Amino acid sequence: MGIIKLKNIRTFSFHGCLVEESKIGSDYTVDLEIKTDLRKPSFSDELADTVDYVHLNRIVVEEMAIRSKLLEHVAQRIIARTFKELPEVSRIIVSVSKINPPIGGDVEAVTVQMEEYRS
């Protein structure tokens, strides 16, 4: 088995419960880690034998473009779509962070992290 990580995927999205957040938008970062069998591609050196991180990045960017009130909802959509489109993925850890959240304090980011295994 092996792990593929995409760190600090940056998007500008419109998530949040406040009406203003749907209009103004905010900066977000996403970290994605997947577990898959990397033995075959480690010998074959063929992209077709592994999980393409371009595909993973596209899933994240496209799901981040769909507005949600909660970061948990966005994270779950990323998980569900990854499992649906990439059957070789056995585990996913996704972290979605809102940079400078409007929470009335000096907070760099708020992050939701979710982990799921293929059932």
CSV table of all heavy atoms in Angstrom, one decimal, residues 58-91:
chain,number,residue,atom,x,y,z
A,58,ARG,N,-8.5,18.0,-9.6
A,58,ARG,CA,-9.7,18.4,-10.3
A,58,ARG,C,-11.0,18.2,-9.4
A,58,ARG,O,-11.8,19.1,-9.3
A,58,ARG,CB,-9.8,17.7,-11.6
A,58,ARG,CG,-11.0,18.2,-12.4
A,58,ARG,CD,-11.1,17.7,-13.8
A,58,ARG,NE,-11.1,16.2,-13.9
A,58,ARG,CZ,-10.1,15.5,-14.3
A,58,ARG,NH1,-9.0,16.0,-14.8
A,58,ARG,NH2,-10.1,14.1,-14.3
A,59,ILE,N,-11.0,17.1,-8.7
A,59,ILE,CA,-12.2,16.8,-7.9
A,59,ILE,C,-12.3,17.9,-6.8
A,59,ILE,O,-13.3,18.4,-6.6
A,59,ILE,CB,-12.1,15.4,-7.2
A,59,ILE,CG1,-12.3,14.3,-8.3
A,59,ILE,CG2,-13.1,15.2,-6.1
A,59,ILE,CD1,-12.0,12.9,-7.8
A,60,VAL,N,-11.2,18.2,-6.1
A,60,VAL,CA,-11.1,19.2,-5.1
A,60,VAL,C,-11.6,20.5,-5.6
A,60,VAL,O,-12.5,21.2,-5.1
A,60,VAL,CB,-9.8,19.3,-4.4
A,60,VAL,CG1,-9.7,20.5,-3.5
A,60,VAL,CG2,-9.5,18.0,-3.6
A,61,VAL,N,-11.0,21.0,-6.7
A,61,VAL,CA,-11.3,22.3,-7.2
A,61,VAL,C,-12.7,22.4,-7.7
A,61,VAL,O,-13.4,23.4,-7.4
A,61,VAL,CB,-10.3,22.6,-8.4
A,61,VAL,CG1,-10.8,23.9,-9.2
A,61,VAL,CG2,-8.9,22.8,-7.9
A,62,GLU,N,-13.3,21.4,-8.3
A,62,GLU,CA,-14.6,21.4,-8.8
A,62,GLU,C,-15.6,21.4,-7.6
A,62,GLU,O,-16.6,22.1,-7.6
A,62,GLU,CB,-14.9,20.3,-9.7
A,62,GLU,CG,-14.2,20.5,-11.1
A,62,GLU,CD,-14.4,19.3,-12.0
A,62,GLU,OE1,-15.0,18.3,-11.7
A,62,GLU,OE2,-13.9,19.4,-13.2
A,63,GLU,N,-15.3,20.6,-6.6
A,63,GLU,CA,-16.2,20.6,-5.4
A,63,GLU,C,-16.2,21.8,-4.6
A,63,GLU,O,-17.2,22.3,-4.0
A,63,GLU,CB,-16.0,19.3,-4.6
A,63,GLU,CG,-16.3,18.0,-5.2
A,63,GLU,CD,-17.8,17.9,-5.7
A,63,GLU,OE1,-18.7,18.4,-5.0
A,63,GLU,OE2,-18.0,17.4,-6.8
A,64,MET,N,-15.0,22.4,-4.5
A,64,MET,CA,-14.8,23.7,-3.8
A,64,MET,C,-15.6,24.8,-4.5
A,64,MET,O,-15.9,25.8,-3.9
A,64,MET,CB,-13.4,24.1,-3.6
A,64,MET,CG,-12.6,23.2,-2.6
A,64,MET,SD,-13.3,23.3,-0.9
A,64,MET,CE,-12.8,25.0,-0.5
A,65,ALA,N,-15.8,24.7,-5.8
A,65,ALA,CA,-16.6,25.7,-6.5
A,65,ALA,C,-18.1,25.7,-6.3
A,65,ALA,O,-18.8,26.6,-6.7
A,65,ALA,CB,-16.3,25.6,-8.0
A,66,ILE,N,-18.6,24.6,-5.7
A,66,ILE,CA,-20.0,24.5,-5.4
A,66,ILE,C,-20.2,25.0,-3.9
A,66,ILE,O,-19.7,24.4,-3.0
A,66,ILE,CB,-20.4,23.0,-5.5
A,66,ILE,CG1,-20.2,22.5,-6.9
A,66,ILE,CG2,-21.9,22.9,-5.1
A,66,ILE,CD1,-20.3,21.0,-7.0
A,67,ARG,N,-21.0,26.0,-3.8
A,67,ARG,CA,-21.3,26.6,-2.5
A,67,ARG,C,-21.9,25.7,-1.5
A,67,ARG,O,-22.8,24.9,-1.8
A,67,ARG,CB,-22.2,27.9,-2.7
A,67,ARG,CG,-22.5,28.5,-1.4
A,67,ARG,CD,-23.1,29.9,-1.5
A,67,ARG,NE,-23.9,30.3,-0.3
A,67,ARG,CZ,-23.4,30.5,0.9
A,67,ARG,NH1,-22.1,30.4,1.0
A,67,ARG,NH2,-24.1,30.9,1.8
A,68,SER,N,-21.4,25.7,-0.3
A,68,SER,CA,-22.0,25.0,0.9
A,68,SER,C,-22.0,25.9,2.1
A,68,SER,O,-21.1,26.8,2.1
A,68,SER,CB,-21.2,23.8,1.2
A,68,SER,OG,-21.3,22.8,0.2
A,69,LYS,N,-22.9,25.7,3.0
A,69,LYS,CA,-22.8,26.5,4.2
A,69,LYS,C,-21.7,26.0,5.1
A,69,LYS,O,-21.1,26.8,5.8
A,69,LYS,CB,-24.2,26.4,4.9
A,69,LYS,CG,-25.3,27.2,4.2
A,69,LYS,CD,-26.6,27.1,5.0
A,69,LYS,CE,-27.3,25.9,4.6
A,69,LYS,NZ,-28.6,25.7,5.3
A,70,LEU,N,-21.5,24.7,5.1
A,70,LEU,CA,-20.6,24.1,6.1
A,70,LEU,C,-19.4,23.4,5.4
A,70,LEU,O,-19.5,22.8,4.3
A,70,LEU,CB,-21.3,23.0,6.9
A,70,LEU,CG,-22.4,23.5,7.8
A,70,LEU,CD1,-23.1,22.3,8.5
A,70,LEU,CD2,-22.0,24.5,8.7
A,71,LEU,N,-18.2,23.6,6.0
A,71,LEU,CA,-17.0,22.9,5.5
A,71,LEU,C,-17.1,21.4,5.5
A,71,LEU,O,-16.6,20.7,4.6
A,71,LEU,CB,-15.8,23.4,6.3
A,71,LEU,CG,-15.4,24.9,6.3
A,71,LEU,CD1,-14.2,25.2,7.1
A,71,LEU,CD2,-15.3,25.4,4.8
A,72,GLU,N,-17.9,20.9,6.5
A,72,GLU,CA,-18.1,19.5,6.6
A,72,GLU,C,-18.8,18.9,5.3
A,72,GLU,O,-18.5,17.9,4.9
A,72,GLU,CB,-18.9,19.2,7.8
A,72,GLU,CG,-18.3,19.5,9.1
A,72,GLU,CD,-18.5,20.9,9.6
A,72,GLU,OE1,-18.7,21.8,8.8
A,72,GLU,OE2,-18.5,21.1,10.9
A,73,HIS,N,-19.7,19.7,4.8
A,73,HIS,CA,-20.5,19.3,3.6
A,73,HIS,C,-19.5,19.3,2.4
A,73,HIS,O,-19.6,18.3,1.6
A,73,HIS,CB,-21.6,20.3,3.4
A,73,HIS,CG,-22.6,19.9,2.3
A,73,HIS,ND1,-22.6,20.4,1.1
A,73,HIS,CD2,-23.5,18.9,2.4
A,73,HIS,CE1,-23.6,19.8,0.4
A,73,HIS,NE2,-24.1,18.9,1.1
A,74,VAL,N,-18.7,20.3,2.2
A,74,VAL,CA,-17.7,20.3,1.1
A,74,VAL,C,-16.8,19.1,1.3
A,74,VAL,O,-16.5,18.4,0.3
A,74,VAL,CB,-16.9,21.6,1.1
A,74,VAL,CG1,-15.9,21.6,0.0
A,74,VAL,CG2,-17.8,22.8,1.0
A,75,ALA,N,-16.3,18.8,2.4
A,75,ALA,CA,-15.3,17.7,2.7
A,75,ALA,C,-16.0,16.4,2.3
A,75,ALA,O,-15.4,15.5,1.7
A,75,ALA,CB,-14.8,17.7,4.1
A,76,GLN,N,-17.2,16.2,2.7
A,76,GLN,CA,-17.9,15.0,2.4
A,76,GLN,C,-18.2,14.8,0.9
A,76,GLN,O,-18.0,13.7,0.4
A,76,GLN,CB,-19.3,14.9,3.2
A,76,GLN,CG,-20.0,13.6,3.0
A,76,GLN,CD,-19.2,12.4,3.3
A,76,GLN,OE1,-18.6,12.3,4.4
A,76,GLN,NE2,-19.2,11.4,2.5
A,77,ARG,N,-18.4,15.8,0.2
A,77,ARG,CA,-18.6,15.7,-1.2
A,77,ARG,C,-17.3,15.3,-1.9
A,77,ARG,O,-17.3,14.5,-2.8
A,77,ARG,CB,-19.1,17.1,-1.8
A,77,ARG,CG,-20.5,17.4,-1.6
A,77,ARG,CD,-21.1,18.4,-2.6
A,77,ARG,NE,-20.1,19.4,-2.9
A,77,ARG,CZ,-20.1,20.6,-2.3
A,77,ARG,NH1,-20.9,21.0,-1.4
A,77,ARG,NH2,-19.2,21.5,-2.8
A,78,ILE,N,-16.2,15.9,-1.4
A,78,ILE,CA,-14.9,15.5,-2.0
A,78,ILE,C,-14.6,14.0,-1.7
A,78,ILE,O,-14.1,13.3,-2.6
A,78,ILE,CB,-13.7,16.4,-1.4
A,78,ILE,CG1,-13.9,17.8,-1.8
A,78,ILE,CG2,-12.4,15.8,-1.7
A,78,ILE,CD1,-13.0,18.8,-1.1
A,79,ILE,N,-14.9,13.5,-0.5
A,79,ILE,CA,-14.7,12.1,-0.2
A,79,ILE,C,-15.6,11.2,-1.1
A,79,ILE,O,-15.1,10.3,-1.7
A,79,ILE,CB,-15.0,11.9,1.3
A,79,ILE,CG1,-13.9,12.5,2.2
A,79,ILE,CG2,-15.2,10.4,1.6
A,79,ILE,CD1,-14.3,12.6,3.6
A,80,ALA,N,-16.9,11.6,-1.2
A,80,ALA,CA,-17.8,10.7,-1.9
A,80,ALA,C,-17.4,10.7,-3.4
A,80,ALA,O,-17.5,9.6,-4.0
A,80,ALA,CB,-19.2,11.3,-1.8
A,81,ARG,N,-17.1,11.8,-4.0
A,81,ARG,CA,-16.7,11.8,-5.4
A,81,ARG,C,-15.4,11.1,-5.6
A,81,ARG,O,-15.3,10.3,-6.6
A,81,ARG,CB,-16.6,13.3,-5.9
A,81,ARG,CG,-16.4,13.3,-7.3
A,81,ARG,CD,-16.6,14.7,-7.9
A,81,ARG,NE,-16.0,14.8,-9.2
A,81,ARG,CZ,-15.7,15.9,-9.8
A,81,ARG,NH1,-16.0,17.1,-9.2
A,81,ARG,NH2,-15.2,15.9,-11.0
A,82,THR,N,-14.5,11.2,-4.7
A,82,THR,CA,-13.2,10.4,-4.9
A,82,THR,C,-13.4,8.9,-4.9
A,82,THR,O,-12.9,8.2,-5.7
A,82,THR,CB,-12.2,10.9,-3.8
A,82,THR,OG1,-12.0,12.3,-3.9
A,82,THR,CG2,-10.9,10.1,-4.0
A,83,PHE,N,-14.2,8.5,-3.9
A,83,PHE,CA,-14.5,7.0,-3.9
A,83,PHE,C,-15.3,6.6,-5.1
A,83,PHE,O,-15.1,5.5,-5.6
A,83,PHE,CB,-15.3,6.7,-2.6
A,83,PHE,CG,-14.5,6.5,-1.4
A,83,PHE,CD1,-15.0,6.9,-0.1
A,83,PHE,CD2,-13.2,6.0,-1.4
A,83,PHE,CE1,-14.3,6.8,1.0
A,83,PHE,CE2,-12.5,5.8,-0.2
A,83,PHE,CZ,-13.0,6.2,1.0
A,84,LYS,N,-16.2,7.4,-5.6
A,84,LYS,CA,-17.0,7.1,-6.8
A,84,LYS,C,-16.1,7.0,-8.0
A,84,LYS,O,-16.3,6.0,-8.8
A,84,LYS,CB,-18.1,8.1,-7.0
A,84,LYS,CG,-19.0,7.8,-8.2
A,84,LYS,CD,-20.0,8.9,-8.3
A,84,LYS,CE,-20.9,8.7,-9.6
A,84,LYS,NZ,-21.8,9.8,-9.9
A,85,GLU,N,-15.2,7.9,-8.2
A,85,GLU,CA,-14.5,8.0,-9.5
A,85,GLU,C,-13.2,7.2,-9.5
A,85,GLU,O,-12.6,6.9,-10.5
A,85,GLU,CB,-14.2,9.5,-9.8
A,85,GLU,CG,-15.4,10.3,-10.1
A,85,GLU,CD,-15.2,11.7,-10.5
A,85,GLU,OE1,-14.0,12.1,-10.8
A,85,GLU,OE2,-16.1,12.5,-10.5
A,86,LEU,N,-12.7,6.9,-8.3
A,86,LEU,CA,-11.4,6.2,-8.2
A,86,LEU,C,-11.5,5.0,-7.3
A,86,LEU,O,-11.2,5.0,-6.1
A,86,LEU,CB,-10.3,7.2,-7.6
A,86,LEU,CG,-10.1,8.4,-8.5
A,86,LEU,CD1,-9.3,9.5,-7.8
A,86,LEU,CD2,-9.3,8.0,-9.8
A,87,PRO,N,-12.0,3.9,-7.8
A,87,PRO,CA,-12.2,2.7,-7.0
A,87,PRO,C,-11.0,2.1,-6.4
A,87,PRO,O,-11.1,1.3,-5.4
A,87,PRO,CB,-12.8,1.7,-8.0
A,87,PRO,CG,-12.5,2.2,-9.4
A,87,PRO,CD,-12.3,3.7,-9.2
A,88,GLU,N,-9.8,2.5,-6.8
A,88,GLU,CA,-8.6,1.9,-6.2
A,88,GLU,C,-8.2,2.6,-4.9
A,88,GLU,O,-7.3,2.2,-4.2
A,88,GLU,CB,-7.4,2.0,-7.2
A,88,GLU,CG,-7.1,3.3,-7.7
A,88,GLU,CD,-7.9,3.7,-9.0
A,88,GLU,OE1,-9.1,4.1,-8.8
A,88,GLU,OE2,-7.3,3.7,-10.1
A,89,VAL,N,-8.9,3.7,-4.5
A,89,VAL,CA,-8.7,4.4,-3.3
A,89,VAL,C,-9.4,3.7,-2.2
A,89,VAL,O,-10.6,3.4,-2.2
A,89,VAL,CB,-9.2,5.9,-3.4
A,89,VAL,CG1,-9.1,6.6,-2.0
A,89,VAL,CG2,-8.4,6.7,-4.4
A,90,SER,N,-8.6,3.4,-1.1
A,90,SER,CA,-9.2,2.7,0.0
A,90,SER,C,-9.4,3.5,1.3
A,90,SER,O,-10.2,3.2,2.1
A,90,SER,CB,-8.3,1.5,0.4
A,90,SER,OG,-7.0,1.9,0.8
A,91,ARG,N,-8.8,4.7,1.4
A,91,ARG,CA,-8.9,5.6,2.5
A,91,ARG,C,-8.7,7.0,2.0
A,91,ARG,O,-7.8,7.2,1.2
A,91,ARG,CB,-8.0,5.2,3.6
A,91,ARG,CG,-8.2,6.1,4.9
A,91,ARG,CD,-7.0,6.1,5.8
A,91,ARG,NE,-6.0,7.0,5.2
A,91,ARG,CZ,-4.8,7.1,5.7
A,91,ARG,NH1,-4.4,6.4,6.7
A,91,ARG,NH2,-3.9,7.9,5.1
